[in-house]
Amino acid sequence: MIRTPLIIDTDPGVDDALALMMAHAHTEVLALTIAAGNVGLTHTVRNALTLMERIGASTPVYPGCPVPLVRAPSEDAALVHGTDGFGDVGFPEPARRAETETAALALVRLSAEHPGATLVALGPLTNLALALRLDADLPSRIGRLVVMGGAVNGHGNTLSTPAEFNIGFDPEAAHVVFESFPLLELVDWEASVRHAIDEQTFDRWLDAGNERGEFYRRIGATSRAWNARRGRSGIIAADALAMAVALDPDAVLRSECHPVAIELEGGLTRGATVVDWEARLEHPANAKIVFDVDMQRFGSLVARALGAA
Ligand code: BDR
Ligand code: CA
């Protein structure tokens, strides 16, 4: 298990919340930089502040860019996460305020102040792309970059069917990030589906959990209902899986390094993560793609975050 400090770029979001709870239960979190994605930036910033209040964390929250770099997104994920991104529970306005420094600037500054920190990206990559355009040396100061994004075999979860939501929301930003980092760790949507958590087990953890578990039960009800309507069983917690990889790299049972590029055009394929499986283009591998994670180790991090272990 790592104990290095984390910087987390996130668009909370129900599964983001679980990942943030896991991180705070385990190690030092230097900052949350907030992306637009699941819902608009006003909501994602408010949700981050609400969550920090609920778990008693003083982690600073830096608002990021409210729109993708180039094109307006075609969809958000309000249907899954609720129109406020936190299951439309109706939490009161948080008392805490966000920082005034913008996310991209905070990423540049924090990476200089804490060289070697692990960066975990759980939303569209807009803030990180902006930071990279401001400071091309940024990757040299990041110990590891773990990204939740992509669908390496084209089984995405957006209207551009091969694209996964985080990459599809801002493909140009993803392109900048994938081109700039020598080797990022990629936890894609397909891995998230393969590592869905059994619902009964998850409910046992909620029942055994503390007020954090109760909070998660409330914000997660909308997305669980949505999944059930689509005939899916199991809790698909994409961001939580990425966080497990970040916190416990030894939990990864199988991974492979390959070149991955982002499709920026494509009538049907914009935002796809295109993997050169056989290195035909002779580009260096820039992504360590995670295939298998130890479910027990993943589960124990989740259970602990919910207060059940
Ligand atoms: C990703 O998209 C969002 O809806 C989730 O929070 C996760 O980061 C999964 O495709
Ligand atoms: Ca997310």
Side-chain angles (χ1 to χ4, degrees), residues 11 15-16 38 77 81 122-123 148 157 164-166 189 238-239:
D11 61 333
D15 59 332
D16 297 78
N38 282 321
H81 298 261
L122 304 175
M148 190 287 124
N157 59 352
E164 175 278 336
F165 180 79
N166 289 340
W189 175 251
D239 293 338

Side-chain angles (χ1 to χ4, degrees), residues 197-248:
I197 301 168
D198 170 72
E199 303 221 20
Q200 285 179 344
T201 307
F202 197 80
D203 283 333
R204 269 205 308 279
W205 293 335
L206 291 180
D207 292 343
N210 57 15
E211 65 289 344
R212 295 181 187 196
E214 206 40 49
F215 174 78
Y216 196 77
R217 189 200 300 274
R218 294 177 75 196
I219 66 170
T222 303
S223 66
R224 287 185 76 168
W226 188 83
N227 266 332
R229 280 200 302 280
R230 292 180 58 103
R232 283 198 188 128
S233 66
I235 308 285
I236 302 173
D239 293 338
L241 183 67
M243 187 57 72
V245 169
L247 296 174
D248 187 7

Side-chain angles (χ1 to χ4, degrees), residues 57-295:
S58 53
T59 311
V61 170
Y62 297 91
C65 183
V67 288
L69 291 187
V70 179
R71 292 201 211 162
S74 55
E75 55 186 307
D76 64 15
L79 270 177
V80 187
H81 298 261
T83 49
D84 71 356
F86 259 9
D88 295 322
V89 172
F91 294 114
E93 247 342 275
R96 266 190 61 190
R97 289 281 157 258
E99 307 298 311
T100 50
E101 187 180 23
T102 199
L105 292 175
L107 285 167
V108 170
R109 178 178 58 77
L110 289 162
S111 63
E113 289 172 3
H114 304 273
T118 296
L119 176 57
V120 190
L122 304 175
L125 292 163
T126 319
N127 296 329
L128 182 52
L130 286 170
L132 287 162
R133 285 302 190 235
L134 291 170
D135 181 355
D137 287 336
L138 190 144
S140 70
R141 302 192 303 271
I142 297 294
R144 295 166 63 211
L145 169 62
V146 180
V147 171
M148 190 287 124
V152 296
N153 290 301
H155 298 269
N157 59 352
T158 68
L159 297 175
S160 159
T161 55
E164 175 278 336
F165 180 79
N166 289 340
I167 306 295
F169 189 90
D170 194 346
E172 281 77 14
H175 167 75
V176 171
V177 172
F178 278 64
E179 290 247 309
S180 303
F181 274 82
L183 190 68
L184 55 83
E185 295 169 49
L186 189 65
V187 178
D188 80 330
W189 175 251
E190 294 163 19
S192 309
V193 173
R194 284 197 302 279
H195 293 81
I197 301 168
D198 170 72
E199 303 221 20
Q200 285 179 344
T201 307
F202 197 80
D203 283 333
R204 269 205 308 279
W205 293 335
L206 291 180
D207 292 343
N210 57 15
E211 65 289 344
R212 295 181 187 196
E214 206 40 49
F215 174 78
Y216 196 77
R217 189 200 300 274
R218 294 177 75 196
I219 66 170
T222 303
S223 66
R224 287 185 76 168
W226 188 83
N227 266 332
R229 280 200 302 280
R230 292 180 58 103
R232 283 198 188 128
S233 66
I235 308 285
I236 302 173
D239 293 338
L241 183 67
M243 187 57 72
V245 169
L247 296 174
D248 187 7
D250 292 337
V252 175
L253 301 176
R254 192 168 70 89
S255 63
E256 288 177 17
C257 295
H258 292 286
V260 179
I262 311 301
E263 172 61 68
L264 297 179
E265 303 300 331
L268 297 171
T269 56
R270 180 170 151 79
T273 38
V274 180
V275 183
D276 186 0
W277 294 106
E278 292 153 4
R280 288 190 213 163
L281 303 177
E282 298 184 358
H283 296 156
N286 61 343
K288 181 174 169 183
I289 302 169
V290 172
F291 291 108
D292 292 326
V293 176
D294 185 321
M295 279 305 286

